[in-house]
């Protein structure tokens, strides 16, 4: 074993290298985040530095979160029924929910957080809810996976339809 001479200030070269390595490891882990397929509580977006897409983080609250739709559900109102196209849907990224209308008068809601890598889904088209990060697609009818890499469906969320207002239940 080789004896390490102390660096200026009394720290050994080994302890300096270990400290720098630990700091680098902590930064790398923080940048990677979790990518397991467990559902996590939805939060607010952080811009993904490499693709410009959004990822979920901490929840927000405050003014400007209420839809223009009126209804008995107050600040939990998402939209008017007329805003959700039949056979399609609408993503409410700031509320972390996507509302679909698989058939006329049937409204469903799912988490807008992709179960693959926690990105916020981008849009609804051709009968699927689409994630921009890695191309996962989910059914507008039941949130089931229609195209990988996601393996788990989008969790269903409870909504209420009162008159022409759709709100979180």
């Amino acid at each position: 074993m080789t004896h390490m001479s102390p660096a200026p200030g009394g720290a050994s070269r080994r302890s300096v290298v270990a400290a720098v390595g630990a700091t680098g490891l902590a930064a790398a882990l923080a940048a990677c985040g979790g990518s397991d397929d467990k559902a996590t509580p939805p939060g607010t977006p952080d811009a993904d530095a490499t693709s410009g897409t959004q990822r979920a983080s901490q929840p927000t609250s405050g003014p400007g979160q209420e839809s223009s739709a009126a209804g008995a559900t107050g600040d939990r109102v998402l939209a008017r029924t007329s805003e959700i196209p039949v056979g399609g849907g609408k993503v409410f990224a700031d509320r972390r929910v996507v509302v679909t209308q698989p058939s006329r008068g049937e409204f469903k809601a799912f988490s807008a957080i992709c179960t693959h890598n926690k990105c916020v889904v981008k849009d609804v088209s051709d009968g699927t809810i689409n994630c921009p990060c890695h191309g996962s697609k989910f059914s507008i009818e039941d949130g089931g996976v229609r195209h990988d890499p996601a393996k788990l469906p989008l969790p269903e969320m409870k909504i209420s339809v009162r008159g022409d207002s759709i709100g979180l239940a």
Side-chain angles (χ1 to χ4, degrees):
M1 182 159 124
T2 309
H3 175 58
M4 306 289 282
S5 60
S12 72
R13 186 175 307 154
R14 180 175 290 164
S15 64
V16 170
V17 170
V20 169
T23 302
L25 177 61
L29 290 174
C32 290
S35 64
D36 62 356
D37 284 339
K38 296 178 193 169
T40 58
T44 59
D46 288 332
D48 182 338
T50 59
S51 66
T53 58
Q54 295 179 334
R55 291 193 174 205
S57 63
Q58 299 299 320
T60 62
S61 61
Q65 290 198 352
E66 186 170 338
S67 170
S68 61
T73 55
D75 69 340
R76 301 187 61 81
V77 171
L78 293 169
R80 295 191 186 279
T81 55
S82 61
E83 294 178 57
I84 311 301
V86 176
K90 184 174 179 180
V91 176
F92 298 89
D94 61 330
R95 303 290 286 274
R96 299 299 179 257
V97 64
V98 57
V99 177
T100 65
Q101 187 176 185
S103 59
R104 185 167 305 284
E106 176 189 18
F107 296 92
K108 304 259 183 162
F110 305 96
S111 169
I113 307 303
C114 179
T115 58
H116 170 247
N117 204 23
K118 311 301 182 242
C119 294
V120 178
V121 297
K122 182 177 182 179
D123 60 20
V124 180
S125 63
D126 299 323
T128 60
I129 301 163
N130 309 303
C131 181
C133 291
H134 300 104
S136 293
K137 294 180 183 284
F138 304 90
S139 167
I140 65 169
E141 296 171 357
D142 62 7
V145 177
R146 290 276 176 94
H147 188 274
D148 337 29
K151 303 290 184 219
L152 298 174
L154 292 176
E156 190 164 356
M157 297 179 73
K158 292 187 185 289
I159 55 171
S160 63
V161 180
R162 293 189 181 138
D164 69 344
S165 294
I166 301 171
L168 292 173

